[in-house]
Amino acid sequence: MDFDIIIKAQVIEAIKNLYSADVHEKQVQLQLTRKEIEGDFTLVVFPFLRMSKKSPEQTAEELGTYLVDKVAEIASFNVIKGFLNLEIAEKYWIAFSKQAYGQKSFGTVEATPEAEKVMVEFSSPNTNKPLHLGHIRNILLGDSITRILKANGKNVQAVNLVNDRGIHICKSMLAWQKWGEHATPDSSGLKGDHLVGDYYVKFDQEYKKEIKQLVEDGFDEKKAAKEAPLLLEAQAMLRSWEKKEESVYSLWQKMNAWVYDGFAVTYKQMGIVFDKTYYESETFLLGKQLVLDGLEKNILIKKEDGSVWADLTKDKLDEKILLRSDGTSVYMTQDLGTAHQRFADYDLDRHIYVVGNEQNYHFQVLKIVLKKLGFDWAEHLFHLSYGMVELPTGKMKSREGTVVDADDLIEEMIATAKTTSMELGKLDGLSDSEIEEITHTIALCALKYFILKVDPKKTMTFEPKESIDFNGNTGPFIQYTYARIQSILRKAEELGYSTDYADDLSNLEEKESQLVKTIYNFPAIIKEAGANLSPALIANYVYDLTKEFNQFYHDISILKEENEQLRSFRIALAELTGNTIKTAMSLLGADVPVRM
RNA sequence: GGUCCAGUAGCUCAGCUGGAUAGAGCAAUAGCCUUCUAAGCUAUAGGUCCCAGGUUCGAGUCCUGGCUGGAUCACCA
């Protein structure tokens, strides 16, 4: 039922027979015909003019005649300039619909043990503050590409790497000790990550005060920033932590546990599941040996003060430090180690890091250093770099309080979904728990779709008003269409209408065949989204599909159709559209409600 | 300054490996609820695809140079 594959093969045959020339499959440009033009598939004939030595129109004409003659599926053709438009006989489209209708999740591929093994790392939060809008983009992208790769039949593991150690968490800990008054999530009523985050902010405020005081006392500003007592104290705390001193270590465990509880709630709200969570406290010592080995082989260089560097000037980059003069690891060292470990442990074919574009340089270096160290698999590291999320007022800055908190945002979306639904009277007669469930589904879908529909690479503007708008190109619009389809199906069942139809059905309406063609294209879109790691392709596809169905819905009555065969076909087509929407949305991590 | 990324309608964004007359939504204007859910549909209006060259049958898409905006170039992570 792969029309495009059949046609391509026949075109190659045709060129051979007509013009005695061999063409490669890549030269055969076959695309879906534009909506306004008659036909289903369009062959671009320009590349073949060299062989035919005839005008574009003539060449197209000859190829068209040949194909209609040889390929049963092709009913007719027309030529516009250098474009040969081929029309598939209706009965084949109908047969295709039937076949697709019979599949559970049409378009997706089941994983096999031999399939590619991919690890996707995303989220990667720090434990000193709650998740914000930037994390949301990261998490949604990571989750979605995990799902898309699975739909492409890959063996995928979604992993989180928690940055649970370092000076940042010591700052929160110190502030808690000094000004916390034994506050806990229970006693304060705050979510653990928010509580800890508040102390991080508190630290920063007090630290700023100290700097100001020092400057007033005549210190140079830089010096003041480096020598403020609070900072020195935090640094001392980090040293104590590295020595695993009991008091510091247990406080660290306690506060991190609060944060994890808080994160767990947010992940659950968002419907995110990880196969495994890594902690930097357990991995930050990895990689040192790799660096020392590299030093021994003279791949890396040691400076007079004892620090170890990679010279990347030949790669048009700078020198990069890998071990400090005191022999301790840096961020890069750790990443060298974890990558090595993961490839060794899981025999990975590919490793994808979902990390913001501010770290492009880091991953560029990571890859080059690993290659220099002689690891061939470095080629299979991929940094899925995404752009920042900005607000209409500019960048998000935690210090200026312009950060959009993840939990607040989700809560606000749910509240808006509820009031909007109420106003429209959509929730009348439903129980409280049903209302909860539906509004949650709508809110999350709105958020996910809003974020995922834009190309990951691009910096995006987060317009609060627009993100919460449920009209037009939005998640809820898609959900709404799905809900309407379900409503049709319920009624069809009530009336006892069947979805079985004969193969020889014909005379489909324009909108119907357009819909079938769009659905036909779904597997190709999934493949492409998998290859490009782009949920945006899925999002834009499902929006198109939804729009098409809506037009169809308004133009053509389904249940009132008198012709039983045609009616059955339309009901089945509606269901197929619904299933396709559902599958596509699931690739974005979004659910579709049965009613709304 | 070096490197990387982006620039498409008033705004937010699509536009797949170069293909036909550059598309949606929002905002604006005008219509459509005795009908399978109006979170919808239809119509109108809105464009120097940042600029200039080049490659070719054909460039929003590829190449070169510029302009604008962003990221990054720490013994931070």
Side-chain angles (χ1 to χ4, degrees), chain A residues 477-538:
Chain A
F477 165 70
I478 294 160
Q479 290 180 311
Y480 174 66
T481 305
Y482 181 81
R484 280 207 297 208
I485 290 173
Q486 299 319 303
S487 165
I488 293 172
L489 298 178
R490 277 194 299 270
K491 195 142 275 181
E493 204 179 340
E494 233 174 85
L495 297 167
Y497 291 162
S498 109
T499 53
D500 275 333
Y501 53 91
D503 292 341
D504 57 1
L505 192 67
S506 65
N507 291 319
L508 298 187
E509 302 273 346
E510 186 54 42
K511 295 267 164 59
E512 283 170 310
S513 34
Q514 191 57 50
L515 200 52
V516 173
K517 263 193 265 178
T518 305
I519 291 169
Y520 171 85
N521 207 24
F522 187 45
I525 297 288
I526 294 184
K527 227 184 248 178
E528 204 180 314
N532 298 336
L533 300 178
S534 175
L537 287 173
I538 302 281

Side-chain angles (χ1 to χ4, degrees), chain A residues 250-280:
Chain A
S250 62
L251 176 62
W252 173 76
Q253 284 174 320
K254 179 163 78 179
M255 289 181 69
N256 270 348
W258 294 344
V259 173
Y260 299 146
D261 289 346
F263 286 169
V265 171
T266 310
Y267 289 140
K268 182 148 192 251
Q269 275 277 33
M270 295 175 71
I272 305 297
V273 178
F274 294 99
D275 295 309
K276 187 172 168 66
T277 299
Y278 289 94
Y279 297 91
E280 283 199 4

Side-chain angles (χ1 to χ4, degrees), chain A residues 337-350:
Chain A
T338 51
H340 179 76
Q341 192 193 39
R342 287 177 189 176
F343 270 84
D345 286 355
Y346 294 101
D347 189 26
L348 297 176
D349 295 301
R350 191 153 47 130

Side-chain angles (χ1 to χ4, degrees), chain A residues 33-49:
Chain A
T33 303
R34 303 170 59 118
K35 277 180 203 165
E36 324 81 69
I37 295 168
E38 204 178 321
D40 297 316
F41 291 93
T42 295
L43 180 72
V44 184
V45 301
F46 288 109
F48 310 131
L49 300 184

Side-chain angles (χ1 to χ4, degrees), chain A residues 21 50 61 65 75 104 107 144 175 222 246 292-293 297 352 435 447 474 521-522 541 546 548:
Chain A
R50 234 168 4 101
E61 198 73 34
T65 312
K104 256 212 186 84
S144 180
K222 267 191 186 162
E246 170 56 23
L292 294 177
D293 290 349
K297 290 182 202 153
I352 297 168
I435 291 175
L447 180 60
T474 65
N521 207 24
F522 187 45
Y541 167 81
T546 305
E548 254 161 39

Side-chain angles (χ1 to χ4, degrees), chain A residues 280-289 329 333-334 337:
Chain A
E280 283 199 4
S281 56
E282 292 164 2
T283 63
F284 79 105
L285 295 175
L286 287 171
K288 199 166 162 179
Q289 193 56 47
S329 303
T333 325
Q334 166 196 289

